[in-house]
Amino acid sequence: MDSSTRFHLRPIGGIRSTLRSRKNAPRQGSEGAPDAWLEVDPEFADALLGIAVGDEILVLTWLHEGVRDVLQVRPRRDPKNPLTGVFATRSPDRPNPIGLHPVTVLGIDGTKLRIGPIEAIDGTPVIDLKPVLR
Amino acid sequence: MDSSTRFHLRPIGGIRSTLRSRKNAPRQGSEGAPDAWLEVDPEFADALLGIAVGDEILVLTWLHEGVRDVLQVRPRRDPKNPLTGVFATRSPDRPNPIGLHPVTVLGIDGTKLRIGPIEAIDGTPVIDLKPVLR
């Protein structure tokens, strides 16, 4: 792999949430995160066919505030935790700051999906949706 | 979200597999896929600290043969299946062709991880690794 290779992502939508800052966001959705709106760009409406209320889906986000040259962190920002490689953590600081959020679809209004719980902050770009496989 | 926004990914490694073509690859790792080598670029060696043999991890790949303007498919390429939005499937054809592969770490040799089973074909770029959360 040539180290200068780059791939280009385009957002397919965005998160609208009452969470406004990374500092106050829960570390994981299961830790008291709110529900939110996932606004899919109408250009991608056809790609939603088959998603229904009650589905469990994976939301992939671009963690736009992630710091990309960080390779090790102390998990949960706890100084008592040992330095750990970011590939062994879910830190938003990582070479490619992709977030992975398992959520339930709570409602559908056109190309807007009510989802939750999700710890992503308001304005986080969404790059893909996938079904949970059993 | 401005529709002209783009994010840039860089590969952090690649897959070395006996699977050479998408046509012959299983649809999911659990469907008879082989083990493979995940070769992490030595530049990212520090980000592996804490990954151990036996760990279950998620490998995120760039499905470089995915077709990006496809919004609906017939799942499993079966003409008897109804047209379904790609966000409700795991099709490699999707606007941002990111693959998500749950694997077990079978061995570690420097920055090379033996992983499996995985349906990604030889030469597939890897963009992120994450621990499976319980």
Side-chain angles (χ1 to χ4, degrees), chain B residues 4 10-11 14 27 30 78 100 120:
Chain B
S4 67
R10 53 182 303 191
R27 297 278 88 78
S30 57
D78 184 335
L100 184 62

Side-chain angles (χ1 to χ4, degrees), chain A residues 1 4-5 18 20-21 29-31 40 42 59 61 64 68 80 89 91 99 104 108-109 115 121 131 134:
Chain A
M1 184 68 56
S4 67
T5 300
T18 55
R20 301 287 177 179
S21 82
S30 58
E31 297 176 15
V40 175
V59 177
T61 58
H64 54 303
R68 302 185 68 172
K80 292 193 296 291
T89 81
S91 171
T104 301
I108 300 178
D109 178 9
I115 58 168
I121 63 175
R134 296 289 172 193

Side-chain angles (χ1 to χ4, degrees), chain B residues 63-117:
Chain B
L63 301 168
H64 54 305
E65 297 192 0
V67 182
R68 303 185 68 171
D69 58 1
V70 170
L71 295 183
Q72 298 187 338
V73 296
R74 295 187 192 273
R76 307 186 68 81
R77 301 187 200 175
D78 184 335
K80 292 194 296 292
N81 282 331
L83 271 176
T84 304
V86 293
F87 294 155
T89 81
R90 291 286 187 116
S91 171
D93 300 325
R94 54 203 311 117
N96 292 308
I98 296 172
L100 184 62
H101 315 268
V103 302
T104 302
V105 178
L106 304 168
I108 299 177
D109 177 11
T111 58
K112 298 181 185 180
L113 308 183
R114 186 72 180 165
I115 58 168

Side-chain angles (χ1 to χ4, degrees), chain A residues 17-41:
Chain A
S17 174
T18 55
L19 288 176
R20 301 287 177 179
S21 82
R22 179 177 159 182
K23 181 168 170 244
N24 297 324
R27 297 278 87 77
Q28 301 298 330
S30 58
E31 297 176 15
D35 299 331
W37 286 101
L38 192 176
E39 297 183 357
V40 175
D41 186 307

Side-chain angles (χ1 to χ4, degrees), chain A residues 14-133:
Chain A
I15 298 292
R16 293 290 162 255
S17 174
T18 55
L19 288 176
R20 301 287 177 179
S21 82
R22 179 177 159 182
K23 181 168 170 244
N24 297 324
R27 297 278 87 77
Q28 301 298 330
S30 58
E31 297 176 15
D35 299 331
W37 286 101
L38 192 176
E39 297 183 357
V40 175
D41 186 307
E43 174 186 353
F44 300 104
D46 287 349
L48 294 171
L49 180 67
I51 294 182
V53 173
D55 284 357
E56 292 178 63
I57 65 173
L58 299 171
V59 177
L60 278 68
T61 58
W62 185 254
L63 301 168
H64 54 303
E65 298 192 1
V67 181
R68 302 185 68 172
D69 59 0
V70 170
L71 296 182
Q72 298 187 339
V73 295
R74 294 186 192 276
R76 307 185 67 83
R77 302 186 199 175
D78 184 336
K80 292 193 296 291
N81 282 331
L83 271 177
T84 304
V86 293
F87 294 155
T89 81
R90 291 285 187 118
S91 171
D93 299 325
R94 54 203 311 115
N96 292 308
I98 296 173
L100 184 63
H101 314 268
V103 301
T104 301
V105 178
L106 305 168
I108 300 178
D109 178 9
T111 58
K112 298 181 185 181
L113 307 184
R114 186 73 180 165
I115 58 168
I118 183 165
E119 75 280 15
I121 63 175
D122 188 62
T124 300
V126 173
I127 54 175
D128 200 7
L129 308 178
K130 297 181 187 296
V132 172
L133 297 184

